[in-house]
Amino acid sequence: MGRRVAIVGVGMTKFVRRAQETGKELAYYAAKEALDYCGMKLSQIDAVVIGSAPDTFDGVHMKGEYLSDGAGGFNKPTLRCYVGGGTGVFAVICGWYHVASGLIDSCLVVCEEKMSSYQPHPQGAFLTIFDHTTERPLKPNLLWIFALEMNRYMTTYGIKKEEIALVAVKNKKNALDHPAAQLKEEITVQDVLNSPVLAYPVQRLDVSPVSDGACAIVMVNEYLARRWTNKPVWVEGVGWSLDTAYWTNRDLCYPRYVEEAARMAYKMAGVTNPRYDIHIAEPYDPFDYKELHHLEGLMLCGKGEAPQLTVDGVTQRDGDLPVCPSGGLLGVGNPIAAAGLMKVIELFLQLRGEAGKRQVARKVRRGVAQAWGDLMQVGAVTVLGI
Amino acid sequence: MKVGIVGMGLTPLRPLSPELSYKELVYEAAVKAYNECGINPRKDVDTFVTCAEDYIEGTSIFDEYTPDQLGGALKPNHTVTQDGLQGIIAACLQILTGNFNIAVVEAHVKSSNILTPDGIHLCALDPIYVRPLNLNPYFIAGLEYDRFLRVNMINGIECGEVVIKNKRNALKNPYACYGENLTLDDYLSSDPVSLPLLSADISQPADGACVFVLASEKVATSLNKEPIWISGFGWNSGSYNLDTREWFYLSYVEKAAKMAYQEADIKNPQKEIDFAEIDDTFSYKELQHLEALGIFTEGRVFAKLKEGAFHPEGEFPVNPSGGSLGMGYLYEATGLMRLFVACLQLKGKAGEFQLKKADKALVHSWRGLPTQSTACLIIERR
Amino acid sequence: MKFLGTGLKDEEIKERKVCLAYWKADAKYAWDCGIAIGKYLAGLKEGKILGVKCEKCGRIMVPPRIFCEECFRTIDSWVELKDTGKVNTFSLCYITWDMKFLKEPQIPAVIEIDGASPGHGIMHLLGEVKPEEVKVGMKVKAVWKKKEEREGAITDILYFKPI
C-alpha cells in the first residue's frame, strides 16, 4: 500500500452527557493529550485533520473553522473531513492519506462532538437529515430509520430481540473498565427487554447515549514513527464507501457499504480470511443491532450469523474474537465523530498491550475499527496492526 | 509531484435556477466533466470528494446526498466542509498515495434557495463571544477593510477600480452573471454596508455546480491528450478568533502560497506565473491577497493597479474571468469556479476573455467571513 | 491519559450554576424541486404516484430522478405506478423527536410501490391499522387527501392502510 503510516500518540476526554467545556476546549484537551502521549510538540506537526458531525449540534456554521484553533490548526494546513456518523474512523483515513501522500510527515487528527448544545434535545438536529421534499414533510424522527433497519434485519434472518440485547449487556459491562465511560453499568437481557419501547423494535437500552467529548491521535510517516515511539501501530488498510441516498430503494437487511469498505481495506492490508486474520474488532455500535450488522458487513461472520457469535461468547473480552472491548458507543458514549476515533484509540491500546483492565485475553496483532453513518449508507474501515 | 486535470464541467452561473434541483444541476456538470475525458464514473473513478456545508444546503449530514448525481454510489466518497480547492487538495493527496488513479471533485450551491443568508452567516460566528452582539457579519469585512485602507494610506478608490475591472471582464465570460460596465461614480454611490465597505464591494451570490476529474501522472495522458497539470498546492488556516487575529497581514495566505510555490518550484511568482484567479469575495480582498500571495509585495500593488497591470492586457492579469465580483459568489464552489476558468485559459478555450499568454496560473480561494482559511493551486500546461 | 472534561448535571443548568449563551438560528430555505421531484409532486396532486424507468438496467424507480444512479445515464421514461404496495419494514414509534412519549404510536414504514422494481419503495406512514397487526409483507393502499385539499406534496397521501 505504498508509504507506511503509523499512529504514535492518542488522547481523549471523558465522554459526558453535557460538558462544561466548549467544543474548542474539548478538542484542545484531546489534542494536547495525544501530543503528550508521544512527547511531540504542536510545532512538530505538519497538518491537522478535524472530524466532527453535523454543524447543527453545536449550532455553529463552518464548525471546522470554529474548532480549528482548539484542534491545533492555527497557522497550519487544516482540513475538515466529513462522512456523517462515519467521520470518526474516516478522519483516520484522511490523516492516513495526508501522510501516505509523502507531502505531510506528521498529522494531528482531532474529532470533537458537543451534542448537548442543541435544545430541547439533540434529536432535533437530526430532523433535517431527511430529503427536504419527499420525506421531511412527514415529520420523521431519527429513530424511525434505525427502527426500520433493525426490523428489516430481524425479519429477514429471524433474529430475536433477546439475542440482540446481549450486545448491550456485553458493551455496557465492558465500559465498567473504561475511565472515560459515560454509561458503565451491569444490566441483564431482561433489563433491555423491559426498558421503554421508543420505536419498536428499538427500546431505551438498545440505544447509545447522547454525549459530549473529543478524541485525538497523532499519525506520522515511517521515519518519524521510530523516533517518537518504540511501539508504532501501523495503518495497514483503509476503505470507505457511500451507498445511494435513495435508501428506500435498498434492502436494509445487509450493510453493503460496510462490505465494500472492508473489501478495500482488507485488500490493502493483505487480509484474505478476515475471521482468522483479524484478531479484534471495534465495529460501530450506536444501537446494539448495529454491532451485529457490522460484524456481518465486515465479513467476520456470515449474513445473519452475528447473533450466534454473541450468544456463544466469541465476542467477549476473553473470547476468540473480542468485539468492542472498550465498551463501545453503548457503554463509553456516543459523541459521534469522537466515538469513532475512540474505537481506533482502543485498538491502538489493545495492540500495544496497554489497555489495562480492558486488555483482551488472546494475543492480538491486527484489529479492525469501523464507523457508519448518514442514511444507513456510510462504511469507514481501518485495519491496524503491529 | 504532478496531478492531471483531465475533465471539467461548470454550469453557467445564474442568480436563480428554479428549473433544476441541486442534484440535477450537479448531474449536468458531471456529465460534461466525464465526457471530456471519456470515463464512466461507475467503473473508472476510484474516489469522490464533495465540498459542502450543511447550513448552506439546509440539510444536516448533507454528505448523504452526494454520491448519486456523480455516479458514485457504493464507492469511496467523502465530504470536505471547505472550499472546492481544499477538495481538490484532498483528492490530490489521495492520488499521491499511489492507491488511486482517478478522483472526482464536486461542489455546488443553490444560493437562491437560502432565504436568510445573514441569519446563516451569523451562525458562523463564535456563539459565546461574538454572536450576542448581533451584528451583521459584514462588520468583520468593514473592520478589516478599514485597517487595510489606513495601513496603506489609501482612500478606497483603488477598490472601486477592482470592482470596475472585474465586472467589465465578466462581460466577456459566458459563465458570468454579474458583468456590467460600471463607472467610478456608480461605485461610489452604492449603498454603505459597514463603512468603508459599500454594497458594490461585495460579490453577489449565484447558483452553480462544478465538477473536476483528476488523474495520476500515470494515467492522465491516456484520458486527455492535453491535461492541465497541478504542480503545487498549499492550504492553511489562520485564526478564527476576531480578538486575537492579525487584522492586517494575512500570514496564512503567505504560508499557503509558499507551500504551493515550493512544490511547483517557483522562485519568483510574479515572473514565472502568467496570471492569477484569486479571491475577490470583497473588492479589497483581491489587493490584500495579491500582496500576501507574494506577487507584488511591499506596497507595490497600488502602483501596479494604477498602471493597469492587472487588466487582461496588463503585465499580470488578475481575475480575467471577472472573479466573484463579476461571475458571482458560489460559496463552497467558488474555488472550483476559479479553477475552471483558469483551466479554460490554459487550454486556449476562454473565447472572448482569452489571454495572450497563459501557460502557468495561480488559483486561490478564501472561505469568506469569519474565517481565515485559504488554499492555493499552481496549474500549468506542459 | 488524564481523561479531562467536566460533566454537568441537569440541576446545574436549571439552577443557572453555569453560564449559558442562547441562540435561535434564523435559517430558512426554499428548495427548488427541479424536474424529477417537481413532476412527482404534480402527480401526487393528481392522485398518482409516478416513477421513472431506465432501459439499460430495466429498473423502475420511485421517488423519481432524472438520472439512473446505477448506470449514470439519463432516465428514459416516466411510468405511472399503482397507489398500492407492500410493507418492506415498519416501526411503531412511541416518542416524538424531543423524546416525549406518545400513547398511540406513529407507524412509519418503507412501502414497496406496486409497479416499481422489487425493493423500490418510499417512506410513509401507516394508518387505520392496529399496531399489533402490522406485518412485514402486508398489502397496503394509499389514502389520499381530498382532491381540492391536495397541494402537490408528499403529504397529499395521508397514509397507507391495509387492504
Side-chain angles (χ1 to χ4, degrees):
Chain A
M1 62 179 281
R3 297 179 192 88
R4 294 180 84 196
V5 179
I7 301 174
V8 294
V10 298
M12 71 183 286
T13 67
K14 276 198 192 73
F15 286 3
V16 293
R17 170 64 184 89
R18 186 191 295 274
Q20 184 170 14
E21 289 82 1
T22 63
K24 278 178 195 247
E25 290 165 344
L26 290 172
Y28 166 74
Y29 283 165
K32 183 75 168 67
E33 285 276 320
L35 291 169
D36 287 349
Y37 199 99
C38 53
M40 281 179 89
K41 293 196 181 81
L42 185 59
S43 58
Q44 289 162 321
I45 294 289
D46 291 346
V48 171
V49 167
I50 296 174
S52 199
D55 291 16
T56 38
F57 282 137
D58 301 60
V60 179
H61 172 38
M62 305 207 270
K63 187 162 54 165
E65 307 294 343
Y66 168 73
L67 290 174
S68 61
D69 51 357
F74 173 59
N75 266 342
K76 288 193 193 297
T78 304
L79 204 72
R80 176 183 170 208
C81 61
Y82 189 47
V83 283
T87 301
V89 170
F90 185 78
V92 179
I93 299 176
C94 190
W96 165 81
Y97 72 61
H98 274 68
V99 179
S101 75
L103 292 180
I104 300 290
D105 295 336
S106 55
C107 185
L108 178 62
V109 178
V110 184
C111 289
E112 175 276 350
E113 216 73 63
K114 195 165 161 76
M115 297 172 74
S116 62
S117 303
Y118 198 94
Q119 297 296 324
H121 193 280
Q123 297 285 8
F126 285 111
L127 298 179
T128 51
I129 72 170
F130 292 90
D131 183 278
H132 47 57
T133 309
T134 59
E135 293 171 348
R136 254 183 260 178
L138 299 170
K139 302 195 169 60
N141 76 46
L142 179 70
L143 284 172
W144 284 17
I145 51 171
F146 303 126
L148 293 170
E149 189 183 58
M150 183 170 176
N151 192 1
R152 185 75 191 160
Y153 176 52
M154 289 170 65
T155 309
T156 304
Y157 300 114
I159 296 164
K160 295 194 194 73
K161 273 232 56 175
E162 288 85 338
E163 298 167 324
I164 293 177
L166 282 171
V167 174
V169 174
K170 167 176 73 74
N171 291 4
K172 284 178 198 288
K173 186 168 174 236
N174 283 349
L176 284 169
D177 298 324
H178 202 303
Q182 181 183 351
L183 268 195
K184 39 179 105 178
E185 52 189 345
E186 215 151 335
I187 57 164
T188 63
V189 167
Q190 209 52 44
D191 291 336
V192 180
L193 299 181
N194 291 343
S195 66
V197 177
L198 304 178
Y200 167 86
V202 176
Q203 290 173 264
R204 169 80 76 196
L205 289 176
D206 291 316
V207 189
S208 59
V210 169
S211 319
D212 292 355
C215 287
I217 63 171
V218 179
M219 301 179 80
V220 298
N221 67 19
E222 191 167 3
Y223 307 101
L224 288 181
R226 304 284 176 197
R227 178 173 163 201
W228 294 110
T229 181
N230 52 10
K231 273 192 282 184
V233 171
W234 302 99
V235 179
E236 296 189 341
V238 300
W240 70 106
S241 177
L242 183 59
D243 208 345
T244 170
Y246 297 105
W247 64 277
T248 56
N249 295 173
R250 282 191 257 131
D251 199 332
L252 302 176
C253 72
Y254 182 71
R256 287 195 304 170
Y257 41 89
V258 174
E259 182 182 323
E260 287 296 320
R263 281 190 190 283
M264 180 172 166
Y266 291 159
K267 191 178 166 197
M268 220 181 262
V271 167
T272 49
N273 186 343
R275 179 65 185 83
Y276 292 95
D277 297 341
I278 299 287
H279 309 145
I280 180 171
E282 277 279 347
Y284 207 56
D285 62 328
F287 294 78
D288 45 13
Y289 81 95
K290 284 310 293 186
E291 172 171 313
L292 304 172
H293 218 210
H294 292 150
L295 284 173
E296 294 171 19
L298 289 167
M299 297 173 283
L300 294 171
C301 61
K303 292 181 187 179
E305 290 173 7
Q308 193 58 43
L309 219 56
T310 312
V311 171
D312 294 344
V314 175
T315 59
Q316 294 285 353
R317 254 188 221 147
D318 57 0
D320 186 47
L321 178 67
V323 176
C324 293
S326 63
L329 279 56
L330 288 162
V332 187
N334 185 11
I336 303 179
L341 195 52
M342 177 274 286
K343 291 183 165 289
V344 172
I345 292 174
E346 181 71 11
L347 286 188
F348 174 89
L349 297 173
Q350 293 280 359
L351 292 171
R352 285 164 55 116
E354 293 172 4
K357 280 197 214 164
R358 300 194 307 286
Q359 190 66 43
V360 298
R362 68 164 292 179
K363 193 166 167 50
V364 287
R365 297 186 50 82
R366 189 184 288 115
V368 65
Q370 172 260 336
W372 157 89
D374 293 5
L375 292 167
M376 302 161 293
Q377 208 180 338
V378 174
V381 173
T382 62
V383 176
L384 301 182
I386 48 170
Chain B
M1 182 217 86
K2 274 196 167 54
V3 173
I5 297 173
V6 294
M8 59 183 199
L10 173 69
T11 61
L13 277 60
R14 293 288 171 263
L16 300 169
S17 55
E19 68 284 2
L20 296 177
S21 67
Y22 71 86
K23 287 186 187 176
E24 293 160 355
L25 203 62
V26 171
Y27 179 68
E28 184 183 321
V31 168
K32 285 179 186 168
Y34 300 154
N35 185 50
E36 188 182 349
C37 49
I39 59 164
N40 174 351
R42 303 298 295 144
K43 294 200 189 89
D44 303 327
V45 177
D46 301 316
T47 178
F48 296 81
V49 178
T50 292
C51 302
E53 280 280 8
D54 286 1
Y55 271 89
I56 300 299
E57 301 291 341
T59 294
S60 277
I61 324 188
F62 179 75
D63 92 281
E64 293 164 355
Y65 296 98
T66 57
D68 297 318
Q69 53 274 19
L70 291 173
L74 213 56
K75 285 173 155 254
N77 282 259
H78 80 88
T79 293
V80 168
T81 62
Q82 271 159 316
D83 179 77
L85 290 192
Q86 272 125 333
I88 294 276
I89 289 168
C92 287
L93 290 170
Q94 288 177 54
I95 287 173
L96 292 172
T97 66
N99 288 269
F100 310 88
N101 276 320
I102 303 180
V104 166
V105 181
E106 179 263 330
H108 66 272
V109 70
K110 280 266 191 176
S111 307
S112 61
N113 290 188
I114 305 170
L115 302 182
T116 53
D118 289 349
I120 286 161
H121 291 158
L122 266 174
C123 288
L125 304 181
D126 187 291
I128 297 164
Y129 307 114
V130 185
R131 238 186 273 174
L133 302 174
N134 217 350
L135 291 162
N136 185 304
Y138 286 127
F139 86 92
I140 302 166
L143 292 177
E144 191 179 51
Y145 188 7
D146 183 63
R147 184 106 178 98
F148 179 72
L149 294 181
R150 283 172 204 280
V151 170
N152 289 301
M153 293 181 284
I154 53 171
N155 59 16
I157 300 289
E158 297 78 1
C159 299
E161 285 172 18
V162 170
V163 177
I164 292 165
K165 166 180 73 76
N166 289 4
K167 285 191 172 276
R168 192 181 299 143
N169 290 352
L171 283 170
K172 294 184 174 174
N173 176 355
Y175 290 93
C177 66
Y178 294 110
E180 61 180 316
N181 252 322
L182 214 63
T183 66
L184 198 54
D185 281 343
D186 296 334
Y187 168 78
L188 291 170
S189 60
S190 77
D191 295 333
V193 174
S194 181
L195 285 174
L197 192 75
L198 304 173
S199 64
D201 289 311
I202 305 171
S203 56
Q204 297 302 308
D207 295 358
C210 193
V211 174
F212 274 87
V213 184
L214 308 185
S216 65
E217 200 167 3
K218 197 168 69 187
V219 305
T221 41
S222 67
L223 297 168
N224 188 326
K225 274 185 197 145
E226 291 180 329
I228 302 296
W229 297 98
I230 298 171
S231 54
F233 55 78
W235 74 112
N236 206 281
S237 292
S239 176
Y240 167 89
N241 293 319
L242 300 183
D243 35 13
T244 53
R245 68 170 50 171
E246 284 177 288
W247 278 96
F248 173 62
Y249 192 65
L250 314 181
S251 60
Y252 57 101
V253 175
E254 185 187 306
K255 286 194 168 74
K258 277 192 175 152
M259 187 174 173
Y261 296 153
Q262 196 178 352
E263 280 167 33
D265 200 19
I266 289 173
K267 309 250 164 14
N268 184 340
Q270 184 200 331
K271 291 230 169 66
E272 295 174 51
I273 296 169
D274 297 323
F275 72 99
E277 284 286 342
I278 66 176
D279 180 83
D280 62 334
T281 300
F282 305 109
S283 60
Y284 72 92
K285 293 302 275 185
E286 177 171 313
L287 302 172
Q288 204 184 18
H289 286 145
L290 258 175
E291 181 160 34
L293 289 163
I295 297 170
F296 293 100
T297 51
E298 291 153 7
R300 286 185 301 148
V301 170
F302 305 100
K304 289 287 170 186
L305 179 74
K306 254 189 205 137
E307 286 172 20
F310 308 142
H311 283 272
E313 59 286 348
E315 177 189 342
F316 190 91
V318 176
N319 290 330
S321 65
S324 287
L325 288 163
M327 288 184 75
Y329 181 63
L330 283 189
Y331 290 87
E332 268 56 72
T334 304
L336 292 191
M337 160 194 103
R338 289 181 198 286
L339 180 59
F340 182 91
V341 288
C343 288
L344 281 183
Q345 294 285 0
L346 264 57
K347 291 168 181 221
K349 288 184 179 165
E352 276 194 74
F353 69 109
Q354 181 65 48
L355 298 170
K356 278 198 195 104
K357 185 168 184 320
D359 294 325
K360 194 181 275 195
L362 165 67
V363 185
H364 164 257
S365 74
W366 167 60
R367 286 207 71 206
L369 302 175
T371 80
Q372 292 199 328
S373 175
T374 199
C376 298
L377 291 187
I378 303 294
I379 55 169
E380 56 190 89
R381 57 176 192 179
R382 205 169 261 170
Chain C
M1 275 189 277
K2 293 196 285 272
F3 301 106
L4 299 172
T6 315
L8 294 174
K9 297 195 180 72
D10 281 352
E11 305 87 79
E12 291 174 289
I13 306 287
K14 280 184 196 134
E15 292 162 20
R16 296 298 182 92
K17 289 186 176 162
V18 290
C19 295
L20 296 170
Y22 288 91
W23 188 260
K24 188 169 172 24
D26 181 21
K28 295 193 184 74
Y29 307 86
W31 297 284
D32 296 323
C33 297
I35 299 166
I37 296 300
K39 196 162 171 175
Y40 180 56
L41 298 181
L44 291 172
K45 198 171 180 182
E46 299 299 313
K48 295 173 190 166
I49 301 176
L50 298 178
V52 292
K53 185 167 187 193
C54 169
E55 294 293 350
K56 192 167 172 217
C57 63
R59 285 192 312 152
I60 297 175
M61 299 162 261
V62 67
R65 56 216 79 162
I66 60 161
F67 50 82
C68 169
E69 75 280 2
E70 281 300 330
C71 307
F72 201 71
R73 59 191 287 279
T74 305
I75 55 108
D76 296 285
S77 54
W78 285 78
V79 185
E80 188 181 334
L81 309 174
K82 297 208 171 106
D83 70 347
T84 56
K86 71 171 192 223
V87 173
N88 171 287
T89 181
F90 69 93
S91 171
L92 309 173
C93 189
Y94 287 91
I95 51 152
T96 60
W97 66 270
D98 54 351
M99 302 302 271
K100 294 197 180 78
F101 277 86
L102 299 166
K103 270 199 176 146
E104 288 301 315
Q106 283 186 299
I107 313 180
V110 175
I111 296 146
E112 294 180 30
I113 302 295
D114 288 336
S117 291
H120 283 62
I122 61 169
M123 179 173 78
H124 218 293
L125 294 160
L126 300 182
E128 295 182 44
V129 60
K130 286 188 186 146
E132 59 274 19
E133 286 171 4
V134 184
K135 295 276 177 301
V136 169
M138 191 170 75
K139 298 283 292 173
V140 292
K141 183 176 172 47
V143 175
W144 296 86
K145 266 188 192 165
K146 280 189 212 140
K147 191 163 191 210
E148 57 277 16
E149 288 171 13
R150 286 184 216 144
E151 51 194 346
I154 190 67
T155 46
D156 287 350
I157 297 173
L158 292 166
Y159 50 81
F160 285 77
K161 67 169 185 184
I163 44 173

